[in-house]
Amino acid sequence: MRQTTSSIALEVKPDSEALLLSLIARLDRPDAATQPAMTKTDLLARMPSLHFFSLTVFPRGVFDPLFVIEANFDGPAGPFWPQLEAALGPQLRPMIACCKRPADGCGPLYDAVTAPGSRRDLAPYLQTRAGKPSVYHHGNRGMSRQRVVNEAALFSAVEAELDAAGQVAQTWRILPPADIHARLREKLLPQFAWLAQPAPARKTLGEKLGDWVRLAVLVLAVLVVLTLPGQIAAGLVETDRLVIAFVLLTAIVWGSLLRIAGPLEGTATHGRTNLLNFAWRQIFKILIALAVFFAVAMLVVTPTTVAISHLSWREAVIPSARALGWGIAAMVVIVLPALVLWLRWLERRDSTQDAPTIDEAVMRLMREREDHTPINHMAAMIPLKPGILRTVLVHVGHRGLHLALRVFIKDGYLASMRTIHFAHWAFVNNGARMMFLSNYDLSWETYFDDFIEKAHEGLTLAFGSGEGFPPTRLLIQDGASHGTLFKAWARHSMTVSRYWLAAYTDITSDQIERNFRIAAGLRQPTLTPESAAQWIVDL
Amino acid sequence: MSARKSDRGPKRDDGSWQLTEPHAGMAQGMVVSGYDHLPTGEALFLEFAWDRHQRGGAWLAALNAIAPVTPADGKVPRSVSLSLSWTGLARMGLDQRALASFPQAFREGMYQRDRMRRLGDTCDGQWSDCVIPTGPRWSGNTPQLPPEDPASVPPGQVDGTTPITVHAMLLLFTATDAEVAAWSAEVEQALVPQGVHVVHRRPIALHKGDDGIVREHFGFADGMSQPVPFDPDATVPAAAVPNGWNAVALGDVLLGHINGHHDIAAGPVVPIEPDGRTAAAGLPRHPRAGDAADFGLNGTFLAVRELLQDVPGFWTALTREAARLRTEDPHGGDVIDATWLGERVIGRCMAGDALRANGPLPRNDPATPDNEFGFYDDDQLGYGCPIGAHMRRGNPRDGLAQRPDQVRTLREAANRHRILRRGRKFGPPIADRMVDDGVERGLLFLAINTDIERQFEFIMQTWMMNPNFATLFDEADPLVGTATPMSLQAKPLRRKAHLENFVKLAGGDYFFLPSLPALKYLELL
Ligand code: HEM
């Protein structure tokens, strides 16, 4: 089952911020006189596809306050907004009235839904204002809410069977795994009839193909752009001059790069991964990708050559191959290193914030709300570093990260961690800031320590474009490895999750997968001794 | 055994390390030494019973005359260590800016509402079964702020105020019992005129067995696994043993040095005043704050928890539970008895060797249990040392790795949360572990760390008390956690033991263990 992550970011009328906050607070503590009490259970029943929902107000700073509605649910967005309206419409409407009238064509719709006493459907407004995340990650991709809940119930029933005292317990201990499986299945089938049905696929072939195609298109587009300088030069300049220019530029770019690639004083963290050795480890994939690119690009470049040069198809092949060859060579040896040089030049001038202001009251409020259950919510807002290179990098990078997560993360593990249920990034305020919202397992401290220690390169890549980030080097080095600095920076970018609705709060992402494996085994009428031995480890 | 020797021999790390000068002369001795040669001693918990206006460090001068705090620069015939709670520092009149420059965990103390919840000391606002029923007896009694959101506080939430207020903790280490009795009486006499009262005391002893092994009260060999700090500028050896299982950055143990997160472990600062107090004390200028001196350098923090152990309760319950597991397992359960179960609770056998599926882990050195091991290679599924065992929750090593390529990263990640355990026992060893003698005994748990949140609290919250640790479900540490089921991985099917808590918090707080120059500064207040 496909899942959707969506968020709506609305600028708040500054004078209505306090009202908005009190309206949100009232969701958790309804005033019995004015509102019928609506428990979280009621709400969840009215939104049967919802996994996690949050309301956050990012405080004013350089911008006016920003009200963010986050929703993670099963299926497409279309049917969800009416569900949300049915559950929370009367409460959301006055909140939306606290936000500014949009300046684009949505103004009249805003007027209609926020007019005093309005009964116009909210859903269309929500739908038009909903943003598309730049990156999202679903740790238990394809697990619908109903399935998560059903399989958790199955897990409890399995445990209860196994731990029943006396004679029953004795029998479990003498059976081989395959028989334990068969007996459990027999006992549980009446209560869990769905065990007899085949498991719905978590990802359809179409989804998988779609992800691959999108990734391929992105990679192709990036390669086209990066090989253009070399191709154009090859078209304009004779080979001997081209060689001279190539050698000269290579010397200049690499000379400068080597001169400034090292860490600034006191910022080195001696990590094991850098761009070069990372590329080296992927060398075969890179070579194959380049070969494929060459082949595909020839199909485009040759006709183009024919069209602009009056050469015949046969004659056009060699000059086309020459242009492409130079394009690729220049990309690898000059263009990419030049971009890295540009980036490094910027990095050396970045301002890093050593002591971000942390409002202790806000911090206390966050802590008061954290760690009541194994699953927590966080919301962060990050202003982006300026400049064209940074802007292009962060947008292309997010697209690439998004597709790479979709294609390559098969078991929910990011590096060695599986602590995220639903997380997403989205650009807001016309791309001046990005927000990050996550529904994750364990405490905030752990969640971040884990990433710092186990995936600091990825963290640096994903957040390094944020203002004030600890000193980074060549895109993925240092940065988040400065754990103490990074955590202070991350805390300071966060704000209180004012309202959080979760369909389940104690089934960790890891446990969902464990329940999934147990259920998958029990759906099989029989298991071979080998697969039963494997399966039983999870009980 | 020989196979292990040859494949791990060259990398072995005997765990010994020293500080170099000037740091050795500045840090307190208990950082580098557990004082194995000083098996007896006493912990004196002090309150500054002054009127509101009195302050200052005169009492430290008086203490210095008879029990000067011991530096980390050599073996001594007796030793003193002194640490202060936040309220202690405040009472002595430490500058407001200095007090505010301490990390939040220390400023708030162990009984801040959210901390108590995260440490598992409270549950739904009430004391959990990890705490004695009356609530802890002593702490620094740090003043608490009201909640920002009153609705986040459960009704009837206990407040962490304790009957006894402790401003400072003085540890005396000696070679004999007689020596400590005389010395502590002398110290107390010298402090009373200064208005400093001993409000609580505990003997602190090693009680080494005849075999030279230190056992905690339940009877398990203890103190085997300790982190080994390294720093190119301040320790010998200066670098981590390659692939060492216990290497940590010195900054995780002492403030002012590079820590496991590649930053200088930031400590508190004091303003440089015209009266030259900072200079007289020998405090260096702070590297970042131009007008302040570094009050933290070579100091550190102590997480202190006085834990009462109900030894007969523990063994009686294990005997009962072992009998139940045995009857459930008519064909393979003969090995199960209380000791078998107790060893699984800890993760090491009584003699201290880590458990493996086919017996204890062989030793490299016949005299001591091995501590150079991971879990991934030969016990990933917990058939030897159960996944939820105390030792494994206390330090999962590489056991959380899912694939071989994650082993190194996960081992290094686990090592960034280590604590240096300097705890000692109080109360006499029990004569018969099954018979209640009515005597209070337990562990004065002392953990040295520079980042309380990333080290002590992380271990407690993310590993010990985490109901979902390592994909277990709804379990807690079987030794120090609340009453809990415990999965005992086995073939064909895991067993599940049901355990109660027999280790209860009776007092504790976070303390600052200052460097000697910082103590000098306090004395000059
Ligand atoms: C009365 C209470 C306690 C007793 C009897 C006890 C006993 C033990 C024993 C027997 C060991 C194995 C020996 C060793 O590896 O040195 C151990 C290890 C350990 N314990 Fe405890 N412990 C207690 C409380 C705590 C608490 C409250 C913590 C909280 C942080 C803790 C953290 C650890 C750690 C980190 C290890 C080392 C694991 C390793 O590095 O392999 N212990 N404990």
Side-chain angles (χ1 to χ4, degrees):
Chain A
M1 153 88 59
R2 199 189 178 93
Q3 272 115 14
T4 305
T5 287
S6 191
S7 53
I8 305 177
L10 304 170
E11 285 185 60
V12 178
K13 298 176 198 158
D15 295 327
S16 298
E17 187 187 8
L19 173 61
L20 176 60
L21 290 178
S22 74
L23 288 171
I24 298 175
R26 238 181 275 165
L27 285 177
D28 270 327
R29 272 151 258 149
D31 176 353
T34 59
Q35 260 174 7
M38 178 85 96
T39 63
K40 290 198 166 174
T41 323
D42 294 336
L43 290 176
L44 287 166
R46 290 188 186 201
M47 296 185 275
S49 64
L50 182 75
H51 289 254
F52 298 96
F53 175 82
S54 77
L55 298 176
T56 310
V57 180
F58 289 97
R60 71 191 74 199
V62 186
F63 296 90
D64 283 334
L66 196 70
F67 176 43
V68 175
I69 305 173
E70 173 209 8
N72 302 283
F73 48 87
D74 295 324
F80 176 74
W81 302 116
Q83 266 182 31
L84 176 62
E85 176 169 15
L88 276 172
Q91 288 84 352
L92 281 177
R93 198 183 294 272
M95 294 183 198
I96 287 170
C98 293
C99 299
K100 295 183 190 172
R101 183 180 192 271
D104 57 19
C106 277
L109 193 52
Y110 169 89
D111 296 336
V113 296
T114 57
S118 164
R119 299 180 144 261
R120 269 289 288 275
D121 284 352
L122 258 185
Y125 185 70
L126 297 174
Q127 184 152 17
T128 46
R129 303 295 291 166
K132 216 172 154 217
S134 55
V135 179
Y136 60 80
H137 176 62
H138 298 160
N140 304 100
R141 186 166 169 193
M143 290 293 284
S144 70
R145 163 167 148 200
Q146 194 55 51
R147 187 160 177 193
V148 168
V149 172
N150 285 350
E151 295 187 354
L154 176 71
F155 172 77
S156 305
V158 168
E159 295 288 292
E161 282 296 337
L162 294 178
D163 295 326
Q167 290 287 207
V168 195
Q170 291 194 4
T171 39
W172 294 126
R173 296 223 61 82
I174 49 176
L175 295 176
D179 293 3
I180 295 180
H181 167 267
R183 272 185 90 119
L184 268 178
R185 182 175 150 88
E186 185 191 306
K187 288 202 164 211
L188 295 168
L189 207 50
Q191 200 187 335
F192 299 91
W194 50 266
L195 284 176
Q197 294 151 18
R202 291 175 59 170
K203 288 188 263 191
T204 61
L205 187 64
E207 266 180 77
K208 281 188 239 178
L209 269 179
D211 291 338
W212 270 106
V213 168
R214 277 186 282 268
L215 183 64
V217 168
L218 178 73
V219 170
L220 215 68
V222 169
L223 287 176
V224 166
V225 172
L226 293 178
T227 49
L228 267 187
Q231 292 197 57
I232 292 172
L236 299 178
V237 186
E238 299 292 319
T239 302
D240 46 357
R241 290 218 204 141
L242 206 55
V243 171
I244 295 174
F246 192 88
V247 170
L248 264 179
L249 281 175
T250 307
I252 293 173
V253 168
W254 280 91
S256 321
L257 191 55
L258 288 178
R259 210 163 46 80
I260 64 170
L264 294 174
E265 200 183 326
T267 63
T269 56
H270 315 291
R272 284 194 290 271
T273 304
N274 58 44
L275 283 181
L276 262 187
N277 67 23
F278 181 76
W280 184 245
R281 263 181 272 150
Q282 317 290 326
I283 190 73
F284 288 111
K285 285 185 204 157
I286 292 176
L287 287 178
I288 291 171
L290 288 180
V292 171
F293 171 69
F294 186 85
V296 173
M298 276 301 280
L299 299 179
V300 181
V301 176
T302 317
T304 314
T305 315
V306 171
I308 61 175
S309 66
H310 314 294
L311 292 177
S312 75
W313 283 89
R314 289 189 75 159
E315 290 162 340
V317 169
I318 301 239
S320 305
R322 172 179 173 271
L324 256 182
W326 277 108
I328 292 176
M331 170 180 77
V332 173
V333 183
I334 300 172
V335 178
L336 274 176
L339 288 174
V340 172
L341 175 69
W342 183 6
L343 177 72
R344 181 69 195 134
W345 188 82
L346 291 172
E347 285 175 343
R348 286 164 59 96
R349 279 154 189 78
D350 277 339
S351 301
T352 62
Q353 196 171 14
D354 291 342
T357 33
I358 292 179
D359 180 336
E360 292 223 346
V362 172
M363 176 91 162
R364 277 197 301 276
L365 201 47
M366 288 193 277
R367 291 221 155 144
E368 282 170 10
R369 287 161 182 241
E370 283 166 8
D371 299 334
H372 289 270
T373 59
I375 309 181
N376 279 300
H377 182 260
M378 69 163 280
M381 183 64 82
I382 298 140
L384 291 171
K385 287 175 181 164
I388 179 165
L389 180 66
R390 274 341 198 320
T391 307
V392 171
L393 263 183
V394 74
H395 282 267
V396 177
H398 269 210
R399 186 78 193 138
L401 180 63
H402 177 71
L403 293 171
L405 288 176
R406 299 292 285 176
V407 168
F408 298 116
I409 304 299
K410 300 212 173 67
D411 49 6
Y413 276 100
L414 293 180
S416 50
M417 292 154 288
R418 186 159 59 196
T419 49
I420 294 180
H421 292 262
F422 289 83
H424 83 268
W425 275 276
F427 297 108
V428 293
N429 297 109
N430 205 15
R433 303 194 288 176
M434 64 179 182
M435 65 179 177
F436 175 66
L437 301 166
S438 180
N439 299 275
Y440 61 94
D441 291 325
L442 302 175
S443 73
W444 183 84
E445 279 277 321
T446 318
Y447 176 57
F448 271 76
D449 279 341
D450 255 7
F451 272 88
I452 290 166
E453 289 155 6
K454 302 172 190 167
H456 48 85
E457 297 93 357
L459 211 53
T460 306
L461 185 68
F463 284 104
S465 48
E467 275 294 15
F469 195 81
T472 58
R473 183 153 59 96
L474 300 175
L475 206 57
I476 57 171
Q477 286 171 268
D478 304 337
S481 300
H482 292 282
T484 328
L485 279 182
F486 172 72
K487 266 200 298 192
W489 178 86
R491 254 306 186 200
H492 129 104
S493 71
M494 282 170 63
T495 194
V496 184
S497 303
R498 297 278 164 182
Y499 179 76
W500 185 54
L501 183 63
Y504 40 91
T505 52
D506 60 351
I507 319 174
T508 59
S509 179
D510 230 12
Q511 183 67 27
I512 290 176
E513 295 301 325
R514 180 181 172 196
N515 296 346
F516 166 77
R517 292 189 299 268
I518 294 174
L522 284 174
R523 284 180 197 263
Q524 314 277 341
T526 53
L527 290 183
T528 61
E530 300 76 48
S531 45
Q534 184 80 40
W535 171 81
I536 205 167
V537 169
D538 274 313
L539 296 187
Chain B
M1 206 185 237
S2 55
R4 278 178 60 74
K5 212 170 222 151
S6 58
D7 68 350
R8 307 208 185 186
K11 300 183 232 161
R12 260 190 79 76
D13 178 357
D14 69 357
S16 64
W17 63 284
Q18 281 173 346
L19 284 172
T20 56
E21 290 301 346
H23 310 287
M26 291 168 76
Q28 290 202 30
M30 80 177 278
V31 174
V32 297
S33 173
Y35 295 125
D36 220 31
H37 66 294
L38 303 174
T40 58
E42 189 161 32
L44 302 179
F45 298 86
L46 311 176
E47 181 183 10
F48 308 148
W50 303 331
D51 69 45
R52 265 185 339 113
H53 306 291
Q54 195 184 334
R55 37 182 271 159
W59 75 277
L60 278 176
L63 177 71
N64 229 339
I66 39 170
V69 171
T70 318
D73 56 3
K75 205 163 173 168
V76 284
R78 57 189 199 172
S79 171
V80 179
S81 139
L82 179 68
S83 53
L84 295 115
S85 64
W86 188 85
T87 44
L89 291 169
R91 283 307 299 266
M92 288 182 71
L94 191 64
D95 175 83
Q96 282 305 323
R97 174 174 164 201
L99 287 171
S101 68
F102 279 91
Q104 194 177 11
F106 178 70
R107 276 184 285 127
E108 292 180 346
M110 206 179 260
Y111 300 96
Q112 195 272 339
R113 273 178 307 274
D114 303 309
R115 296 214 130 73
M116 292 197 286
R117 164 161 50 82
R118 300 210 306 261
L119 292 172
D121 291 340
T122 59
C123 183
D124 293 331
Q126 305 303 307
W127 295 117
S128 74
D129 62 352
C130 305
V131 179
I132 56 173
T134 52
R137 297 169 191 152
W138 64 267
S139 72
N141 274 332
T142 315
Q144 297 298 328
L145 291 165
E148 294 294 325
D149 175 11
S152 72
V153 181
Q157 160 86 38
V158 293
D159 85 341
T161 317
T162 55
I164 301 174
T165 301
V166 173
H167 290 132
M169 182 180 73
L170 185 68
L171 304 176
L172 304 174
F173 299 91
T174 56
T176 65
D177 281 328
E179 208 181 331
V180 75
W183 197 19
S184 83
E186 211 183 322
V187 167
E188 193 168 359
Q189 256 169 33
L191 292 182
V192 169
Q194 302 293 332
V196 174
H197 296 170
V198 176
V199 284
H200 180 55
R201 60 205 313 153
R202 285 292 188 190
I204 44 170
L206 290 177
H207 295 305
K208 259 192 214 173
D210 300 333
D211 48 5
I213 291 180
V214 176
R215 293 190 165 74
E216 53 70 49
H217 280 301
F218 293 137
F220 299 96
D222 196 7
M224 248 83 57
S225 181
Q226 294 283 27
V228 183
F230 67 89
D231 187 286
D233 301 322
T235 61
V236 189
V241 180
N243 298 323
W245 285 97
N246 299 295
V248 302
L250 182 62
D252 283 352
V253 169
L254 277 181
L255 294 167
H257 301 274
I258 299 288
N259 67 14
H261 277 176
H262 308 98
D263 298 310
I264 293 179
V269 298
V270 289
I272 295 177
E273 296 142 355
D275 59 12
R277 199 186 286 150
T278 45
L283 290 180
R285 195 172 272 275
H286 192 270
R288 287 215 321 230
D291 58 345
D294 192 342
F295 192 59
L297 178 66
N298 291 318
T300 187
F301 295 100
L302 276 177
V304 181
R305 284 167 86 81
E306 183 184 323
L307 299 167
L308 294 184
Q309 290 173 263
D310 174 358
V311 179
F314 178 78
W315 287 112
T316 310
L318 288 188
T319 308
R320 205 172 43 230
E321 188 60 9
R324 188 185 68 81
L325 290 174
R326 228 177 12 247
T327 50
E328 282 190 355
D329 198 354
H331 301 274
D334 338 331
V335 290
I336 303 178
D337 60 11
T339 300
W340 183 93
L341 189 52
E343 290 180 335
R344 264 104 207 127
V345 163
I346 298 292
R348 292 186 185 254
C349 67
M350 302 296 290
D353 304 285
L355 300 175
R356 283 297 185 262
N358 36 17
L361 187 72
R363 297 184 175 191
N364 255 309
D365 165 2
T368 44
D370 207 23
N371 196 37
E372 296 274 298
F373 60 84
F375 297 110
Y376 183 82
D377 284 345
D378 53 355
D379 199 15
Q380 200 208 0
L381 295 178
Y383 294 133
C385 173
I387 289 172
H390 177 69
M391 169 181 84
R392 207 155 165 169
R393 281 184 180 259
N395 178 9
R397 300 173 189 240
D398 60 1
L400 299 176
Q402 305 291 326
R403 292 196 307 258
D405 61 330
Q406 299 168 351
V407 165
R408 178 169 175 193
T409 307
L410 283 166
R411 180 189 65 206
E412 290 174 355
N415 271 349
R416 294 199 172 101
H417 303 279
R418 306 259 328 243
I419 47 178
L420 199 52
R421 290 174 299 140
R422 290 282 184 242
R424 283 199 168 197
K425 275 172 292 189
F426 58 85
I430 198 156
D432 179 341
R433 71 183 192 181
M434 300 298 285
V435 180
D436 190 356
D437 57 3
V439 181
E440 268 195 2
R441 57 172 58 79
L443 178 72
L444 184 64
F445 175 87
L446 305 169
I448 292 180
N449 55 175
T450 54
D451 188 337
I452 296 171
E453 291 183 357
R454 174 166 58 87
Q455 295 169 268
F456 170 70
E457 290 188 347
F458 183 102
I459 296 180
M460 286 299 281
Q461 187 187 358
T462 308
W463 291 343
M464 294 284 180
M465 301 298 176
N466 178 359
N468 306 101
F469 174 78
T471 327
L472 297 171
F473 188 76
D474 210 14
E475 299 187 12
D477 185 74
L479 186 70
V480 300
T482 50
T484 178
M486 179 189 189
S487 298
L488 300 167
Q489 289 74 29
K491 282 181 186 166
L493 180 65
R494 88 299 177 275
R495 298 183 174 88
K496 196 165 269 182
H498 294 274
L499 304 168
E500 293 159 60
N501 174 296
F502 297 99
V503 172
K504 300 205 188 291
L505 179 73
D509 216 324
Y510 298 135
F511 285 80
F512 176 52
L513 188 80
S515 68
L516 271 66
L519 280 173
K520 186 76 199 165
Y521 176 90
L522 289 171
E523 187 181 324
L524 297 175
L525 278 178

